[in-house]
Amino acid sequence: MEVVVIETPPLGDRSYLVHDGAHGLLVDPQRDIDRLERAAAEAGVEVTHVLETHLHNDYLTGGYAYARKHGAQYLVSALDDVSFERTPVADGQRFSVGALTVTAVATPGHTHHHLSYVVEHEGRQAVFSGGSVLYGSVGRTDLLGARDTVGLSHDQYASARRLAGEARPDAALYPTHGFGSFCSSGPASDATESTLGEQLESNHVYTDPDEGHFVAELIANLTAYPSFYAHMAPLNAEGPGEPDLSVPEPLDPHMLQHRLEAGEWVVDLRSRVAFASDHLRGTASFEYGTNFTNYLGWLFPYGRTLTLVGARDDVERAVRDLARIGIERPDAALGEDPAQLAPGAPASSYPRLGWAHVAAQLPPEDTVLDVRRREEHDAGHLPGAVNVPLHELLARLDDVPAGRVWVYCSSGYRASVAASLLDRAGRAVVLIDDRLSRAAHAGLSLVTA
């Protein structure tokens, strides 16, 4: 048995190809199935089964498209309400994939009908736990609404114990979430591999003997998650098709200027350094990188026209990332010189400073805006800082005091997005592009709520 890990860092998830050298199965495949096809081709195996642990909330699946395209069986929980043909799978069901034996184990908690899979071959076991047992924690239990959270949290506790009874301690553990995904709950672990036995000794779902205490702690540590999650499960229940990942034809400069004047969503993918020094007025800065997908998906109003601005390579990667969360076929203006992209459009800029300059230059009458999440702000913030989390900013622009605004977060990324949105709204801003951990070195002290 060989397990090929297919990582998706922008979403903090993993998909898996499991095979015996000739036949294989996919677990929780991402939307862009060309990566999965390439992995199968490189392994020289035929994928005969595609397995979903659950209807995902943080990305669109590629399982339905892959199964249809390659004639594989598509296994989805028999209890999930879906509108496509699938091979229904139930708790305890066993089936073979070549020389591999697969057993489905009901592990509700992350969702009501969540399944994990135990795969065996010649005495070896591997557990594919989806959003159940993760490295150091479990999948979050609040994605289906407040009425279900307590019950699902108790389910997670029971499911972890059920899973530990279905596999040996030496079984390798392969979760889908837990590598930066908002689908996981704290405490976070930076582990990249583990066994079920290691989790029995270190994971709080196993080490906490008090179920009530575990549930209370789990719920207390649940934080905000991206708004695009609300769209994912319904779309996954319909069976998403294969996405078009081609780079769109460049937008006409006059059309780009018209969209800026109309207040449409035009997103600049360049570095926040380049954006702060010179950008088209009305654009929003979402520097392309690991944080891009979650934060653009969190703030972008689904159904609106989206235009990407940036180098061709960045646009190509962004199109792929956005397809994974159901933002299809954005338009694009290719290039990195704002003056050439829309020659008649006005430009804008704003200062970008580190903490040393903030300590020396911040006037007492200006506003300091902390755009981190509320629990981050409460753990330590600049004295007098106003807290409006980035994901709430567009709805709460009126809560930002008048005058010039100095914006910070923990690393500079969220602050750069917030500064661009304030600039887009006509506000005077200063981007504090520095790690908050460096504020003390500049003589600035933090206070707790």
Side-chain angles (χ1 to χ4, degrees), residues 142-425:
D142 61 333
L143 298 180
L144 302 185
R147 290 190 302 178
D148 293 311
T149 301
V150 173
L152 287 172
S153 298
H154 283 282
D155 288 343
Q156 278 290 49
Y157 191 82
S159 290
R161 279 149 181 75
R162 165 86 192 282
L163 194 57
E166 296 289 337
R168 299 190 306 269
D170 64 350
L173 181 67
Y174 296 100
T176 300
H177 306 312
F179 310 97
S181 170
F182 282 93
C183 270
S184 59
S185 61
S189 169
D190 58 3
T192 57
E193 60 182 35
S194 188
T195 64
L196 197 55
E198 289 170 345
Q199 294 305 306
L200 285 168
E201 296 177 355
S202 61
N203 192 316
H204 69 140
V205 74
Y206 292 119
T207 60
D208 193 336
D210 184 336
E211 180 175 345
H213 178 267
F214 167 81
V215 168
E217 183 181 59
L218 177 65
I219 294 173
N221 285 309
L222 293 172
T223 61
Y225 57 86
S227 60
F228 70 82
Y229 279 24
H231 302 278
M232 298 300 97
L235 291 173
N236 281 325
E238 296 175 4
E242 186 174 359
D244 180 355
L245 301 178
S246 60
V247 176
E249 289 297 316
L251 202 63
D252 177 85
H254 297 292
M255 179 57 72
L256 177 59
Q257 183 172 346
H258 170 73
R259 291 186 177 182
L260 290 167
E261 292 170 350
E264 295 189 12
W265 271 76
V266 180
V267 168
D268 193 320
L269 304 176
R270 297 176 302 152
S271 75
R272 54 187 183 260
V273 177
F275 185 91
S277 65
D278 181 28
H279 58 268
L280 294 169
R281 185 180 298 167
T283 51
S285 174
F286 285 84
E287 177 181 4
Y288 182 76
T290 303
N291 292 312
F292 167 77
T293 311
N294 275 317
Y295 286 108
L296 180 57
W298 205 330
L299 293 168
F300 176 67
Y302 272 58
R304 293 277 296 276
T305 299
L306 174 64
T307 304
L308 303 176
V309 175
R312 184 181 186 87
D313 288 348
D314 284 344
V315 169
E316 183 176 14
R317 287 189 284 264
V319 166
R320 177 181 292 269
D321 287 355
L322 294 174
R324 294 173 182 148
I325 61 170
I327 300 176
E328 311 274 4
R329 304 299 302 142
D331 292 324
L334 303 179
E336 296 185 273
D337 184 351
Q340 292 184 358
L341 290 172
S348 185
S349 63
Y350 45 76
R352 171 185 157 271
L353 302 175
W355 286 114
H357 290 92
V358 173
Q361 300 178 24
L362 176 62
E365 67 272 13
D366 285 3
T367 295
V368 177
L369 181 66
D370 182 350
V371 294
R372 296 175 301 156
R373 294 191 300 275
R374 202 159 289 112
E375 67 277 3
E376 296 175 277
H377 175 83
D378 290 347
H381 57 268
L382 258 63
V386 175
N387 180 219
V388 179
L390 174 60
H391 61 275
E392 299 177 7
L393 182 60
L394 288 174
R396 296 180 55 193
L397 286 172
D398 290 343
D399 292 344
V400 180
R404 188 164 59 170
V405 183
W406 299 58
V407 192
Y408 78 93
C409 63
S410 58
S411 67
Y413 188 87
R414 284 174 287 178
S416 70
V417 176
S420 75
L421 296 175
L422 288 165
D423 175 77
R424 184 171 177 253

Side-chain angles (χ1 to χ4, degrees), residues 355 382 435-446:
W355 286 114
L382 258 63
R435 292 194 170 276
L436 184 57
S437 59
R438 293 168 51 87
H441 296 291
L444 295 166
S445 60
L446 302 183

Side-chain angles (χ1 to χ4, degrees), residues 49-90:
H49 294 70
V50 180
L51 283 60
E52 299 284 9
T53 59
H54 60 292
L55 292 182
H56 302 285
N57 286 284
D58 64 334
Y59 67 86
L60 292 189
T61 180
Y64 178 70
Y66 191 102
R68 288 193 65 189
K69 185 175 181 180
H70 295 280
Q73 291 190 53
Y74 189 34
L75 279 69
V76 178
S77 171
L79 299 176
D80 278 325
D81 184 13
V82 297
S83 59
F84 51 82
E85 291 187 9
R86 41 86 193 268
T87 300
V89 60

